[in-house]
Amino acid sequence: MVFRHRQVIDTLPSYKQGKPAPQVEGRRSFKISSNENPYAPLPSVRQAISDKALARINRYPDMRGWAVVERLAAETGVRPENIQLGCGSTEVITQLVNLVAGKGDEVVYPWRSFEAYPIIVTTAGAESVQVPLTPEGAHDIDAMIAAVNDRTRLVIVNNPNNPTSTSVSDADVRRLLAAVPQDVLVLIDEAYVQFNTDPDTCVGMDLFREFPNVVVAQTFSKAYALAGLRIGYAIGPEDVIDGMRKVALPFGVSAAAQVAAVASLDAYDELSERVDALIAERTRVIETLRGQGWRIPVPNANFFWLQLGERTDVIAGYFEKAGLSVRVFSGEGIRITIGEHEANDLVIAVCAQVFALTHSKVLVD
Ligand SMILES: Cc1ncc(COP(=O)(O)O)c(C=O)c1O
């Protein structure tokens, strides 16, 4: 870049969107690269958008998103003052980082994890302290505790972790919270919380109620299938939420997103049946793959992780040829979203083919 700018931005990778479904002649292809919900929007949600939002798009939306905020407050039993909306939880995480961390400050988080974290932290002017995952793809809580110092302004727990799908236990997060000074915030990013079936998992909302420095981020993008509308939220202490509102993108959350969020909360039973179906599909896929010989970290989100190391790119080619776009982390592994039944069958078939070709060498040890 030849124009004057913040040099630190040159160090950032651009956020990579999951690739679209590849075009393979003669066969149906699938996008399973972005952890999206494969189900089409509910008719009731579409209807609500068309009845309540479309006719008003000449107007700015309600900036505070009261209808959603009040509804979430009623559902969760917290005060509206504890809730802040954003354009997806990506934006609420950005608000939080902008609020607490600037030049000279540090944000501690596991790595590899959600790709937006380094972008958000560096853009805020702060420094990322990336704590490597354990060999099993889980948070290394002791190492995270050891990484906290006087410069730490935020610690992020990603439960379940993207891309490894591993759950973080309640005991581990409590240990972390006991070690972090109470004036340093701990964000529990629960984008996939509805898919988490680990009985020992930490529950962000319980911790929010117990600790003064816990903020929880959740989203309508995944279980609620509203990724295209961009709406997520944070639940946190009132003064934190106040601060986040000051740094929020004005009018960031559209009226369509707000209306769809309320309609989705109304349709919670229907949506949660879909979540259950995706969890059942996840179990089917993982059990079949384990039967093939694969070793896979226990998944607790709507995706799973194949740790493949240097073979990643070659193996990625097999998925592509089969009509599947998966998320490839070169030299590390592949993240695969649980999608339509047919997509999952294809994943199983490709994994069988790849496993037979490479014997057991592609396994996680
Ligand atoms: C761990 C994690 N957190 C947050 C998000 C943000 O999602 P959204 O901005 O769509 O709410 C994602 C999206 O993939 C994610 O994987």
Side-chain angles (χ1 to χ4, degrees):
M1 289 196 257
V2 290
F3 55 90
R4 294 184 191 197
H5 65 283
R6 295 163 63 202
Q7 301 297 316
V8 70
I9 303 299
D10 296 340
T11 66
L12 279 178
S14 301
Y15 188 96
K16 287 200 195 77
Q17 177 163 23
K19 283 192 190 162
Q23 297 303 314
V24 181
E25 212 174 302
R27 65 156 78 218
R28 192 172 164 208
S29 60
F30 298 91
K31 178 175 187 241
I32 47 173
S33 53
S34 297
N35 301 338
E36 292 154 336
N37 192 315
Y39 290 97
L42 290 176
S44 61
V45 172
R46 294 167 65 127
Q47 193 63 48
I49 294 171
S50 111
D51 289 351
K52 297 183 188 154
L54 281 186
R56 289 177 37 215
I57 58 174
N58 55 322
R59 304 285 178 193
Y60 288 107
D62 171 15
M63 207 162 107
R64 185 74 172 95
W66 276 115
V68 187
V69 167
E70 283 178 342
R71 182 63 187 271
L72 285 171
E75 302 267 338
T76 56
V78 305
R79 286 156 47 82
E81 289 76 9
N82 295 116
I83 302 174
Q84 165 66 354
L85 305 183
C87 302
S89 53
T90 305
E91 204 230 339
V92 289
I93 298 167
T94 306
Q95 294 168 12
L96 186 63
V97 172
N98 282 334
L99 172 65
V100 299
K103 199 164 187 286
D105 301 330
E106 293 180 352
V107 178
V108 174
Y109 55 85
W111 196 252
R112 180 166 284 281
S113 194
F114 182 34
E115 281 176 283
Y117 296 155
I119 297 173
I120 292 169
V121 172
T122 305
T123 306
E127 275 166 46
S128 285
V129 178
Q130 300 184 331
V131 180
L133 299 174
T134 67
E136 293 74 38
H139 285 41
D140 186 339
I141 293 291
D142 291 322
M144 288 177 73
I145 291 171
V148 173
N149 62 36
D150 284 352
R151 296 169 67 194
T152 309
R153 294 294 174 272
L154 181 68
V155 180
I156 304 178
V157 172
N158 184 196
N159 185 33
N161 187 57
N162 176 4
T164 50
S165 207
T166 46
S167 163
V168 189
S169 75
D170 181 57
D172 271 352
V173 178
R174 284 176 187 278
R175 206 149 47 80
L176 176 75
L177 283 162
V180 172
Q182 289 211 334
D183 60 354
V184 172
L185 296 179
V186 175
L187 168 67
I188 313 211
D189 177 354
E190 292 186 330
Y192 304 94
V193 62
Q194 295 87 350
F195 298 97
N196 193 340
T197 49
D198 174 8
D200 298 324
T201 194
C202 89
V203 177
M205 285 306 295
D206 291 349
L207 298 172
F208 162 74
R209 289 189 182 92
E210 267 181 70
F211 293 84
N213 55 337
V214 167
V215 179
V216 180
Q218 296 190 0
T219 180
F220 286 96
S221 295
K222 310 294 179 178
Y224 291 91
L226 297 181
L229 280 174
R230 315 304 302 125
I231 177 163
Y233 56 95
I235 296 186
E238 209 173 310
D239 50 354
V240 174
I241 296 298
D242 253 359
M244 287 172 68
R245 277 172 34 215
K246 291 185 184 167
V247 298
L249 177 71
F251 305 110
V253 183
S254 70
Q258 295 180 29
V259 163
V262 173
S264 300
L265 290 166
D266 287 341
Y268 180 75
D269 290 346
E270 220 174 325
L271 287 168
S272 72
E273 272 172 29
R274 292 172 162 197
V275 169
D276 291 346
L278 288 168
I279 292 171
E281 275 293 277
R282 179 180 78 196
T283 305
R284 177 177 80 89
V285 172
I286 296 303
E287 280 176 3
T288 312
L289 265 47
R290 290 206 173 120
Q292 290 174 0
W294 291 90
R295 289 184 59 195
I296 297 165
V298 177
N300 275 287
N302 62 340
F303 55 87
F304 65 96
W305 174 244
L306 294 179
Q307 188 161 322
L308 302 164
E310 59 190 21
R311 292 162 186 246
T312 299
D313 291 324
V314 176
I315 292 172
Y318 286 88
F319 286 98
E320 175 102 11
K321 260 183 258 151
L324 298 168
S325 67
V326 291
R327 187 71 175 87
V328 181
F329 296 90
S330 208
E332 293 178 60
I334 295 179
R335 187 193 71 199
I336 301 176
T337 307
I338 299 296
E340 298 85 343
H341 189 87
E342 201 187 326
N344 302 334
D345 280 348
L346 262 181
V347 167
I348 289 170
V350 174
C351 285
Q353 184 192 14
V354 167
F355 194 84
L357 284 172
T358 58
H359 302 288
S360 58
K361 298 286 185 241
V362 293
L363 301 187
V364 181
D365 288 317

PDB file of all heavy atoms in Angstrom, residues 138-142 145 157 167-178 200 202 207:
ATOM      1  N   ALA A 138      -7.945 -28.715  22.188  1.00  0.00           N
ATOM      2  CA  ALA A 138      -8.717 -28.060  23.249  1.00  0.00           C
ATOM      3  C   ALA A 138      -7.988 -26.818  23.766  1.00  0.00           C
ATOM      4  O   ALA A 138      -6.793 -26.626  23.511  1.00  0.00           O
ATOM      5  CB  ALA A 138      -8.931 -29.045  24.392  1.00  0.00           C
ATOM      6  N   HIS A 139      -8.722 -25.976  24.514  1.00  0.00           N
ATOM      7  CA  HIS A 139      -8.081 -24.825  25.162  1.00  0.00           C
ATOM      8  C   HIS A 139      -7.030 -25.331  26.165  1.00  0.00           C
ATOM      9  O   HIS A 139      -7.317 -26.263  26.928  1.00  0.00           O
ATOM     10  CB  HIS A 139      -9.115 -24.019  25.970  1.00  0.00           C
ATOM     11  CG  HIS A 139     -10.028 -23.176  25.138  1.00  0.00           C
ATOM     12  ND1 HIS A 139     -10.579 -23.593  23.956  1.00  0.00           N
ATOM     13  CD2 HIS A 139     -10.497 -21.910  25.340  1.00  0.00           C
ATOM     14  CE1 HIS A 139     -11.348 -22.625  23.471  1.00  0.00           C
ATOM     15  NE2 HIS A 139     -11.321 -21.601  24.285  1.00  0.00           N
ATOM     16  N   ASP A 140      -5.873 -24.699  26.182  1.00  0.00           N
ATOM     17  CA  ASP A 140      -4.861 -25.016  27.195  1.00  0.00           C
ATOM     18  C   ASP A 140      -5.017 -23.974  28.306  1.00  0.00           C
ATOM     19  O   ASP A 140      -4.425 -22.894  28.270  1.00  0.00           O
ATOM     20  CB  ASP A 140      -3.463 -24.960  26.566  1.00  0.00           C
ATOM     21  CG  ASP A 140      -2.398 -25.413  27.547  1.00  0.00           C
ATOM     22  OD1 ASP A 140      -2.655 -25.376  28.767  1.00  0.00           O
ATOM     23  OD2 ASP A 140      -1.310 -25.799  27.082  1.00  0.00           O
ATOM     24  N   ILE A 141      -5.868 -24.290  29.264  1.00  0.00           N
ATOM     25  CA  ILE A 141      -6.261 -23.293  30.266  1.00  0.00           C
ATOM     26  C   ILE A 141      -5.062 -22.855  31.116  1.00  0.00           C
ATOM     27  O   ILE A 141      -4.906 -21.663  31.413  1.00  0.00           O
ATOM     28  CB  ILE A 141      -7.408 -23.835  31.147  1.00  0.00           C
ATOM     29  CG1 ILE A 141      -8.675 -23.996  30.292  1.00  0.00           C
ATOM     30  CG2 ILE A 141      -7.680 -22.902  32.343  1.00  0.00           C
ATOM     31  CD1 ILE A 141      -9.339 -22.707  29.805  1.00  0.00           C
ATOM     32  N   ASP A 142      -4.197 -23.790  31.471  1.00  0.00           N
ATOM     33  CA  ASP A 142      -3.034 -23.387  32.284  1.00  0.00           C
ATOM     34  C   ASP A 142      -2.164 -22.406  31.520  1.00  0.00           C
ATOM     35  O   ASP A 142      -1.682 -21.417  32.078  1.00  0.00           O
ATOM     36  CB  ASP A 142      -2.221 -24.622  32.710  1.00  0.00           C
ATOM     37  CG  ASP A 142      -2.997 -25.449  33.715  1.00  0.00           C
ATOM     38  OD1 ASP A 142      -3.675 -24.834  34.564  1.00  0.00           O
ATOM     39  OD2 ASP A 142      -2.962 -26.685  33.628  1.00  0.00           O
ATOM     40  N   ILE A 145      -3.834 -19.084  31.516  1.00  0.00           N
ATOM     41  CA  ILE A 145      -3.648 -18.396  32.804  1.00  0.00           C
ATOM     42  C   ILE A 145      -2.242 -17.794  32.865  1.00  0.00           C
ATOM     43  O   ILE A 145      -2.056 -16.638  33.260  1.00  0.00           O
ATOM     44  CB  ILE A 145      -3.891 -19.383  33.981  1.00  0.00           C
ATOM     45  CG1 ILE A 145      -5.383 -19.752  34.042  1.00  0.00           C
ATOM     46  CG2 ILE A 145      -3.400 -18.795  35.300  1.00  0.00           C
ATOM     47  CD1 ILE A 145      -5.727 -20.874  35.018  1.00  0.00           C
ATOM     48  N   VAL A 157     -12.631 -17.004  25.736  1.00  0.00           N
ATOM     49  CA  VAL A 157     -12.845 -18.453  25.744  1.00  0.00           C
ATOM     50  C   VAL A 157     -13.816 -18.728  24.607  1.00  0.00           C
ATOM     51  O   VAL A 157     -14.864 -18.089  24.519  1.00  0.00           O
ATOM     52  CB  VAL A 157     -13.467 -18.891  27.092  1.00  0.00           C
ATOM     53  CG1 VAL A 157     -13.882 -20.358  27.053  1.00  0.00           C
ATOM     54  CG2 VAL A 157     -12.488 -18.637  28.240  1.00  0.00           C
ATOM     55  N   SER A 167     -15.182 -28.700  23.377  1.00  0.00           N
ATOM     56  CA  SER A 167     -15.896 -27.973  24.432  1.00  0.00           C
ATOM     57  C   SER A 167     -14.921 -27.623  25.556  1.00  0.00           C
ATOM     58  O   SER A 167     -13.928 -28.316  25.774  1.00  0.00           O
ATOM     59  CB  SER A 167     -17.010 -28.893  24.928  1.00  0.00           C
ATOM     60  OG  SER A 167     -17.495 -28.475  26.156  1.00  0.00           O
ATOM     61  N   VAL A 168     -15.225 -26.543  26.265  1.00  0.00           N
ATOM     62  CA  VAL A 168     -14.397 -26.123  27.405  1.00  0.00           C
ATOM     63  C   VAL A 168     -15.192 -26.440  28.668  1.00  0.00           C
ATOM     64  O   VAL A 168     -16.368 -26.063  28.769  1.00  0.00           O
ATOM     65  CB  VAL A 168     -14.102 -24.609  27.344  1.00  0.00           C
ATOM     66  CG1 VAL A 168     -13.070 -24.223  28.401  1.00  0.00           C
ATOM     67  CG2 VAL A 168     -13.624 -24.207  25.952  1.00  0.00           C
ATOM     68  N   SER A 169     -14.545 -27.089  29.620  1.00  0.00           N
ATOM     69  CA  SER A 169     -15.318 -27.533  30.791  1.00  0.00           C
ATOM     70  C   SER A 169     -15.570 -26.382  31.761  1.00  0.00           C
ATOM     71  O   SER A 169     -14.830 -25.401  31.822  1.00  0.00           O
ATOM     72  CB  SER A 169     -14.598 -28.671  31.513  1.00  0.00           C
ATOM     73  OG  SER A 169     -13.506 -28.153  32.235  1.00  0.00           O
ATOM     74  N   ASP A 170     -16.629 -26.561  32.527  1.00  0.00           N
ATOM     75  CA  ASP A 170     -16.984 -25.588  33.561  1.00  0.00           C
ATOM     76  C   ASP A 170     -15.822 -25.446  34.560  1.00  0.00           C
ATOM     77  O   ASP A 170     -15.440 -24.334  34.926  1.00  0.00           O
ATOM     78  CB  ASP A 170     -18.245 -26.086  34.270  1.00  0.00           C
ATOM     79  CG  ASP A 170     -18.712 -25.137  35.340  1.00  0.00           C
ATOM     80  OD1 ASP A 170     -18.966 -23.965  35.021  1.00  0.00           O
ATOM     81  OD2 ASP A 170     -18.807 -25.554  36.509  1.00  0.00           O
ATOM     82  N   ALA A 171     -15.240 -26.582  34.934  1.00  0.00           N
ATOM     83  CA  ALA A 171     -14.144 -26.542  35.919  1.00  0.00           C
ATOM     84  C   ALA A 171     -12.974 -25.727  35.386  1.00  0.00           C
ATOM     85  O   ALA A 171     -12.380 -24.910  36.107  1.00  0.00           O
ATOM     86  CB  ALA A 171     -13.704 -27.964  36.256  1.00  0.00           C
ATOM     87  N   ASP A 172     -12.651 -25.895  34.110  1.00  0.00           N
ATOM     88  CA  ASP A 172     -11.521 -25.157  33.516  1.00  0.00           C
ATOM     89  C   ASP A 172     -11.785 -23.654  33.496  1.00  0.00           C
ATOM     90  O   ASP A 172     -10.912 -22.854  33.812  1.00  0.00           O
ATOM     91  CB  ASP A 172     -11.267 -25.648  32.087  1.00  0.00           C
ATOM     92  CG  ASP A 172     -10.293 -26.815  32.062  1.00  0.00           C
ATOM     93  OD1 ASP A 172      -9.706 -27.126  33.122  1.00  0.00           O
ATOM     94  OD2 ASP A 172     -10.130 -27.417  30.978  1.00  0.00           O
ATOM     95  N   VAL A 173     -12.997 -23.281  33.105  1.00  0.00           N
ATOM     96  CA  VAL A 173     -13.276 -21.839  33.014  1.00  0.00           C
ATOM     97  C   VAL A 173     -13.305 -21.222  34.417  1.00  0.00           C
ATOM     98  O   VAL A 173     -12.844 -20.090  34.620  1.00  0.00           O
ATOM     99  CB  VAL A 173     -14.565 -21.559  32.222  1.00  0.00           C
ATOM    100  CG1 VAL A 173     -14.855 -20.068  32.174  1.00  0.00           C
ATOM    101  CG2 VAL A 173     -14.426 -22.087  30.816  1.00  0.00           C
ATOM    102  N   ARG A 174     -13.793 -21.976  35.385  1.00  0.00           N
ATOM    103  CA  ARG A 174     -13.783 -21.443  36.766  1.00  0.00           C
ATOM    104  C   ARG A 174     -12.346 -21.252  37.253  1.00  0.00           C
ATOM    105  O   ARG A 174     -12.032 -20.292  37.955  1.00  0.00           O
ATOM    106  CB  ARG A 174     -14.547 -22.377  37.707  1.00  0.00           C
ATOM    107  CG  ARG A 174     -16.039 -22.233  37.528  1.00  0.00           C
ATOM    108  CD  ARG A 174     -16.822 -23.213  38.376  1.00  0.00           C
ATOM    109  NE  ARG A 174     -18.222 -23.122  38.011  1.00  0.00           N
ATOM    110  CZ  ARG A 174     -19.065 -22.192  38.476  1.00  0.00           C
ATOM    111  NH1 ARG A 174     -18.661 -21.316  39.364  1.00  0.00           N
ATOM    112  NH2 ARG A 174     -20.310 -22.151  38.062  1.00  0.00           N
ATOM    113  N   ARG A 175     -11.477 -22.180  36.880  1.00  0.00           N
ATOM    114  CA  ARG A 175     -10.059 -22.041  37.245  1.00  0.00           C
ATOM    115  C   ARG A 175      -9.472 -20.774  36.605  1.00  0.00           C
ATOM    116  O   ARG A 175      -8.747 -20.021  37.239  1.00  0.00           O
ATOM    117  CB  ARG A 175      -9.312 -23.282  36.742  1.00  0.00           C
ATOM    118  CG  ARG A 175      -8.065 -23.644  37.500  1.00  0.00           C
ATOM    119  CD  ARG A 175      -7.852 -25.163  37.485  1.00  0.00           C
ATOM    120  NE  ARG A 175      -7.997 -25.762  36.174  1.00  0.00           N
ATOM    121  CZ  ARG A 175      -7.080 -25.770  35.237  1.00  0.00           C
ATOM    122  NH1 ARG A 175      -5.918 -25.187  35.464  1.00  0.00           N
ATOM    123  NH2 ARG A 175      -7.290 -26.354  34.074  1.00  0.00           N
ATOM    124  N   LEU A 176      -9.820 -20.560  35.360  1.00  0.00           N
ATOM    125  CA  LEU A 176      -9.352 -19.368  34.652  1.00  0.00           C
ATOM    126  C   LEU A 176      -9.883 -18.106  35.337  1.00  0.00           C
ATOM    127  O   LEU A 176      -9.135 -17.153  35.605  1.00  0.00           O
ATOM    128  CB  LEU A 176      -9.828 -19.424  33.196  1.00  0.00           C
ATOM    129  CG  LEU A 176      -9.521 -18.222  32.316  1.00  0.00           C
ATOM    130  CD1 LEU A 176      -8.057 -18.205  31.909  1.00  0.00           C
ATOM    131  CD2 LEU A 176     -10.379 -18.240  31.047  1.00  0.00           C
ATOM    132  N   LEU A 177     -11.176 -18.131  35.650  1.00  0.00           N
ATOM    133  CA  LEU A 177     -11.784 -16.949  36.270  1.00  0.00           C
ATOM    134  C   LEU A 177     -11.176 -16.659  37.639  1.00  0.00           C
ATOM    135  O   LEU A 177     -11.028 -15.491  38.031  1.00  0.00           O
ATOM    136  CB  LEU A 177     -13.301 -17.137  36.387  1.00  0.00           C
ATOM    137  CG  LEU A 177     -14.057 -16.933  35.074  1.00  0.00           C
ATOM    138  CD1 LEU A 177     -15.452 -17.548  35.137  1.00  0.00           C
ATOM    139  CD2 LEU A 177     -14.140 -15.445  34.742  1.00  0.00           C
ATOM    140  N   ALA A 178     -10.784 -17.704  38.343  1.00  0.00           N
ATOM    141  CA  ALA A 178     -10.175 -17.500  39.664  1.00  0.00           C
ATOM    142  C   ALA A 178      -8.799 -16.842  39.521  1.00  0.00           C
ATOM    143  O   ALA A 178      -8.347 -16.119  40.414  1.00  0.00           O
ATOM    144  CB  ALA A 178     -10.058 -18.836  40.388  1.00  0.00           C
ATOM    145  N   ASP A 200     -20.249 -31.621  30.773  1.00  0.00           N
ATOM    146  CA  ASP A 200     -19.347 -30.874  31.675  1.00  0.00           C
ATOM    147  C   ASP A 200     -19.028 -29.473  31.167  1.00  0.00           C
ATOM    148  O   ASP A 200     -18.150 -28.797  31.710  1.00  0.00           O
ATOM    149  CB  ASP A 200     -18.016 -31.640  31.838  1.00  0.00           C
ATOM    150  CG  ASP A 200     -18.244 -32.993  32.474  1.00  0.00           C
ATOM    151  OD1 ASP A 200     -19.118 -33.083  33.346  1.00  0.00           O
ATOM    152  OD2 ASP A 200     -17.559 -33.953  32.067  1.00  0.00           O
ATOM    153  N   CYS A 202     -18.838 -25.538  30.238  1.00  0.00           N
ATOM    154  CA  CYS A 202     -19.144 -24.305  30.976  1.00  0.00           C
ATOM    155  C   CYS A 202     -20.376 -23.661  30.345  1.00  0.00           C
ATOM    156  O   CYS A 202     -20.597 -23.784  29.131  1.00  0.00           O
ATOM    157  CB  CYS A 202     -17.948 -23.354  30.978  1.00  0.00           C
ATOM    158  SG  CYS A 202     -17.838 -22.223  29.628  1.00  0.00           S
ATOM    159  N   LEU A 207     -22.114 -18.389  34.462  1.00  0.00           N
ATOM    160  CA  LEU A 207     -20.901 -17.682  34.909  1.00  0.00           C
ATOM    161  C   LEU A 207     -21.140 -16.171  34.941  1.00  0.00           C
ATOM    162  O   LEU A 207     -20.656 -15.478  35.834  1.00  0.00           O
ATOM    163  CB  LEU A 207     -19.721 -18.035  34.003  1.00  0.00           C
ATOM    164  CG  LEU A 207     -19.350 -19.527  34.029  1.00  0.00           C
ATOM    165  CD1 LEU A 207     -18.318 -19.853  32.972  1.00  0.00           C
ATOM    166  CD2 LEU A 207     -18.843 -19.936  35.412  1.00  0.00           C
TER     167      LEU A 207
END
